[in-house]
Amino acid sequence: MPSSAWLPTAPCSPQICVTSVRSLADVPRAVLRIVAMLSVLLFGIMLMPVFGSFPAARRDALVRYWSRTVVQAAGVRVRITGAAAPTGGMLLVANHISWLDIPLLAAVRPARMLAKAEIRQWPVAGGLTAASGALFIERDRLRALPETVARIAEAMRAGAAVVAFPEGSTWCGRAQGPFRRAVFQAALDAGVPVQPVRLHYRFDNGPSSTAPAFVGEDSLLSSMWRVVTARGLVAEVEIRDEIPAGSHPDRRALAHAAQPGMMGAELGWAHAALISEESRARTLAVSARGSSQSQAGTEGLPSDDYAEGRLARPAIRASRR
């Protein structure tokens, strides 16, 4: 069980969820991508003190362009669909899969990020995060929750956009965690709209990919290396319909409206069923290798409907047995 409202857990891990294909031929391209990504990051950091002198509209446009360029420098194509996010105070929420999620959301709407308090003590990164206007939260202190919600509401009431990942933990992208409700109370208190965004990673014109996932005990370096060695990786950013202020009576209803796909415990069962199905498929494929049945082993792999959270209830219930 999580120790606080900010510390939920996810069943995803690199061993059972993450798939990637690597070869020595990918190394030179991967190194070039890392150099390009770091160069774009450093360039933006150097210009950070200058950004404050630009008009708000111009500054936001530059931040969106820079954030999108960071992702593209890593070799990931970006596809943004939906209407542009509104201006003014708002809560921007999305499912959480990868470290790439942060620049992708900044490409939608530059905003103040919720960050764990420990980051403030990190060398270099702590100072940069604080300079970006991040709102730090003490995730292991439940008593600090009301004060944190009040600070988030105050920032949005003053006209800022605040980015939050209500799942509270990263998932591999083939299932999602339930949206925690605390941050939605801040939107209710501030009287601002909620802008849901759905993030999804796939191969170009192909199946979903878990290569960008940053889950469990995975290291940032391992996740970055999977991204820069991947071929044809696409980040899909779906800007969903804005949820107007005052359209839902409480934070539970608001969180439910912002959460795409299945809700509650069904999500965990969907993930368990997915992993079980893949394990069975891999076993069949290995046992049938070299025979005429090797092709049939792929029939156990989940379809896109399964992978994107549209698994039927009967299948989920069957997985519990």
Side-chain angles (χ1 to χ4, degrees):
M1 295 293 291
S3 58
S4 86
W6 301 108
L7 287 171
T9 58
C12 301
S13 71
Q15 291 78 18
I16 64 174
C17 299
V18 178
T19 57
S20 62
V21 179
R22 305 176 184 177
S23 69
L24 292 177
D26 296 326
V27 173
R29 183 179 62 252
V31 172
L32 289 176
R33 287 176 174 176
I34 290 176
V35 171
M37 184 172 57
L38 292 178
S39 299
V40 174
L41 281 170
L42 290 174
F43 181 74
I45 291 170
M46 291 172 59
L47 291 181
M48 191 177 293
V50 182
F51 281 177
S53 62
F54 292 160
R58 178 63 174 169
R59 181 175 64 247
D60 286 355
L62 288 173
V63 172
R64 286 196 298 267
Y65 176 77
W66 174 69
S67 301
R68 187 166 183 160
T69 303
V70 169
V71 180
Q72 292 172 332
V76 181
R77 294 177 58 187
V78 180
R79 293 175 181 167
I80 300 178
T81 58
T87 58
M90 62 173 292
L91 178 64
L92 183 66
V93 297
N95 57 303
H96 201 8
I97 302 171
S98 172
W99 51 274
L100 287 169
D101 300 346
I102 297 173
L104 285 173
L105 290 184
V108 171
R109 167 80 192 271
R112 301 182 68 176
M113 182 73 61
L114 293 187
K116 59 184 181 180
E118 298 90 325
I119 293 180
R120 197 198 301 263
Q121 308 303 323
W122 292 2
V124 183
L128 292 173
T129 304
S132 70
L135 295 167
F136 293 99
I137 58 177
E138 298 182 59
R139 302 191 304 167
D140 56 349
R141 287 186 58 218
L142 189 57
R143 290 182 179 180
L145 182 58
E147 180 184 350
T148 301
V149 169
R151 286 195 295 114
I152 297 171
E154 181 182 359
M156 294 188 292
R157 201 178 290 117
V162 174
V163 168
F165 298 106
E167 290 166 299
S169 181
T170 50
W171 286 60
C172 66
R174 294 177 295 184
Q176 296 178 352
F179 276 12
R180 302 283 162 161
R181 301 187 294 270
V183 72
F184 293 96
Q185 184 62 50
L188 290 173
D189 294 345
V192 298
V194 174
Q195 176 62 73
V197 175
R198 179 180 179 271
L199 301 174
H200 186 223
Y201 297 92
R202 66 165 62 246
F203 293 109
D204 194 16
N205 299 320
S208 300
S209 172
T210 59
F214 183 32
V215 293
E217 69 278 15
D218 200 7
S219 69
L220 178 60
L221 183 60
S222 296
S223 179
M224 289 180 61
W225 188 251
R226 286 195 303 270
V227 170
V228 296
T229 54
R231 297 186 180 186
L233 198 60
V234 178
E236 296 180 340
V237 183
E238 180 188 353
I239 306 174
R240 300 200 162 190
D241 293 337
E242 173 194 350
I243 303 174
S247 59
H248 292 81
D250 54 44
R251 60 188 180 185
R252 181 187 297 272
L254 190 55
H256 190 281
Q259 167 91 57
M262 294 176 294
M263 294 296 297
E266 289 186 347
L267 296 162
W269 288 115
H271 185 273
L274 175 62
I275 298 304
S276 175
E277 190 75 6
E278 285 201 339
S279 297
R280 186 174 69 86
R282 289 171 183 169
T283 300
L284 290 174
V286 170
S287 63
R289 186 176 298 165
S291 70
S292 60
Q293 297 179 352
S294 61
Q295 182 64 29
T298 62
E299 294 177 0
L301 293 174
S303 66
D304 273 353
D305 282 350
Y306 198 124
E308 295 184 17
R310 294 190 290 267
L311 182 66
R313 285 176 179 260
I316 298 172
R317 289 170 179 162
S319 71
R320 301 186 190 187
R321 297 192 293 269

